[in-house]
Structures are given as structure tokens and as C-alpha cells.
């Protein structure tokens, strides 16, 4: 299947700083990408839908000013966690849609805020 | 609205035994259904998916699942468990069209395989 690359794989940051996570579709163009969050020992929850060239659509309860999503090209979406706090520590994972019936996940990013 | 319920947060089987992981869904539109596996500290790997057509879906590593609309179920099975199957499994549902890929996940089932 197609490849979605997520970077970095893990990151440790200090409380109050911002962290940017990249999600790239390497061999296809993705007009739509999705961002999920997985807390330890929990399931994955959709945070937002990222559409190329337009504003992201956030799920209920997700702060759009804290989790900034930019989808400026057909192969790249970024998630920036602003003013990170320890409670933002989580596993963030993106997926990219390739056509009407295919979507592929990145390998995820483990964020630890200290 | 869509939701997924996985019955049993933990399932334990012996090596060589049948694996059965249960998944029930709720969807107001025809569902697309998925099973993913996640190994510790790793991303998700797609095992299989149902979109349209044949209701019995075969996936990788000997897994299969059957879509039963009348029971709103999509249970995952494997005839003979291997030690390497020990992992967490997630069932997920998506809509079609512009909603495709927007997944709602179940709570996950941790599969333990005993020698």
C-alpha cells in the first residue's frame, strides 16, 4: 500500500513550548488527512479532519487554538501542539486518504511533555 | 452517528486455539468496517476491511471477519493462534464518500497468547 510518513517518531518537550508534527503522503496526493490521539491504554480518538487548502474541521472538545492544523499542500499536513502541558502527552497519529476507499496511517508520534 | 463496541477488553487463548474477537457497530449510514492491530509503541496495521461486496473478508496473517448486517457485527477470527498474534486489536467504522477514512474506533481488545 501507499506510504504515510510521520515525523518525528517521538519528541520530548518542556511544558509551555510548542511542538510540530508532520504527516506526509510519500507516493500519493491526499486532499484529506485525519489526526487522531491515543492516550495510554486507551483507544484512538479523532481530533480533526484536515483538508488541503481549507480550514481543518475539529471534533467536539478539541481546542482548535491549541492544536493547530495546517494542510498547505497535497502531501503534507502539520499538527502543532501549542503551549504544551503534561496532559497533552499522548500518541498522535495521522492518516491520509488516497481515493474513495483507501486510507493509510503514519507510524505515529509519541509526545512527552515534561 | 457511528459507534463501535468491542466485547472483551482482554482475550486470552492458547497457541493453536481459535481466536475470536467481537465487534458490534452502530451506524446511520452503510458502514465501512475495519480491523487494525497495534503492537506496543507502534502505529496501526490494517488487518482487513469491509466496504462492499462479499461479506466474508479475508485479511493478512490468516485473519478473517464476517460482516453481518442483521446482527450489526464484524467479528474477527483466526483458526489457529500464534504467539506473534499477541497485540491489541481495534475495530473501526467509517462512512463512505467524503466520510471515508474518518474512523470511529472501538475500545480495543488485548489478545494474549499462551504457549
Amino acid at each position: 500500500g501507499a506510504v504515510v510518513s510521520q515525523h518525528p517518531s517521538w519528541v520530548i518537550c518542556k511544558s509551555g513550548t510548542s511542538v510540530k508534527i508532520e504527516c506526509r503522503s510519500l507516493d500519493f496526493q491526499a486532499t484529506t488527512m485525519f489526526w487522531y490521539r491515543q492516550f495510554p491504554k486507551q483507544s484512538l480518538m479523532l481530533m480533526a479532519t484536515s483538508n488541503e487548502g481549507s480550514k481543518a474541521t475539529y471534533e467536539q472538545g478539541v481546542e482548535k487554538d491549541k492544536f493547530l492544523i495546517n494542510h498547505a499542500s497535497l502531501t503534507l499536513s502539520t499538527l502543532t501542539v501549542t503551549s504544551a502541558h503534561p496532559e497533552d502527552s499522548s500518541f498522535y497519529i495521522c492518516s491520509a486518504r488516497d481515493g474513495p476507499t483507501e486510507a493509510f496511517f503514519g507510524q505515529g508520534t509519541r509526545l512527552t511533555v515534561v | 452517528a457511528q459507534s463501535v463496541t468491542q466485547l472483551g477488553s482482554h482475550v486470552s487463548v492458547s497457541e493453536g486455539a481459535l481466536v475470536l474477537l467481537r465487534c458490534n457497530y452502530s451506524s446511520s449510514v452503510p458502514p465501512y468496517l475495519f480491523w487494525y492491530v497495534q503492537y506496543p509503541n507502534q502505529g496501526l496495521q490494517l488487518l482487513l476491511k469491509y466496504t462492499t461486496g462479499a461479506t466474508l473478508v479475508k485479511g493478512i496473517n490468516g485473519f478473517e471477519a464476517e460482516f453481518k448486517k442483521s446482527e450489526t457485527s464484524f467479528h474477527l477470527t483466526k483458526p489457529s493462534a500464534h504467539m506473534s498474534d499477541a497485540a491489541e486489536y481495534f475495530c473501526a467504522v467509517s462512512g463512505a464518500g467524503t466520510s471515508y477514512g474518518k474512523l470511529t474506533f472501538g475500545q480495543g481488545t488485548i489478545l494474549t497468547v499462551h504457549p
Side-chain angles (χ1 to χ4, degrees):
Chain A
V3 177
V4 175
S5 177
Q6 201 171 326
H7 178 80
S9 299
W10 59 270
V11 58
I12 301 173
C13 71
K14 291 185 177 181
S15 186
T17 62
S18 296
V19 174
K20 180 184 285 187
I21 302 169
E22 294 186 346
C23 179
R24 293 182 184 272
S25 57
L26 297 186
D27 48 4
F28 65 99
Q29 294 182 329
T31 56
T32 302
M33 294 185 178
F34 303 95
W35 286 96
Y36 297 85
R37 179 168 56 183
Q38 183 181 31
F39 289 111
K41 300 188 185 303
Q42 295 188 28
S43 187
L44 293 91
M45 297 293 291
L46 179 68
M47 298 176 66
T49 301
S50 171
N51 294 301
E52 187 269 335
S54 64
K55 291 183 178 180
T57 303
Y58 291 82
E59 295 300 300
Q60 190 173 10
V62 177
E63 301 174 60
K64 62 180 181 181
D65 295 330
K66 180 171 184 62
F67 299 100
L68 302 179
I69 292 173
N70 184 282
H71 194 157
S73 79
L74 287 171
T75 59
L76 175 64
S77 175
T78 60
L79 168 67
T80 301
V81 183
T82 63
S83 186
H85 291 284
E87 56 266 31
D88 298 323
S89 298
S90 187
F91 188 65
Y92 294 86
I93 189 166
C94 70
S95 74
R97 190 165 70 198
D98 180 18
T101 61
E102 296 291 344
F104 302 94
F105 279 91
Q107 62 269 53
T109 297
R110 175 77 58 194
L111 170 64
T112 302
V113 184
V114 298
Chain B
Q2 298 177 312
S3 66
V4 175
T5 301
Q6 290 181 239
L7 298 176
S9 57
H10 289 80
V11 170
S12 180
V13 300
S14 298
E15 191 174 19
L18 171 71
V19 175
L20 171 60
L21 304 183
R22 299 177 187 274
C23 172
N24 287 89
Y25 70 91
S26 172
S27 178
S28 56
V29 298
Y32 285 3
L33 294 159
F34 306 80
W35 274 100
Y36 289 91
V37 61
Q38 185 178 37
Y39 295 95
N41 297 312
Q42 294 188 26
L44 298 176
Q45 181 180 13
L46 178 67
L47 286 176
L48 49 79
K49 66 179 180 182
Y50 168 79
T51 53
T52 58
T55 57
L56 181 61
V57 182
K58 295 187 183 299
I60 62 172
N61 301 338
F63 285 95
E64 64 180 38
E66 186 171 11
F67 170 60
K68 292 187 176 180
K69 184 178 179 181
S70 61
E71 299 178 8
T72 62
S73 69
F74 191 57
H75 302 329
L76 181 71
T77 61
K78 182 174 180 178
S80 176
H82 293 174
M83 298 295 291
S84 60
D85 294 328
E88 188 161 18
Y89 292 79
F90 292 95
C91 181
V93 64
S94 162
T98 56
S99 295
Y100 183 85
K102 183 178 178 181
L103 297 173
T104 299
F105 285 88
Q107 307 92 312
T109 298
I110 296 174
L111 175 66
T112 303
V113 182
H114 296 288

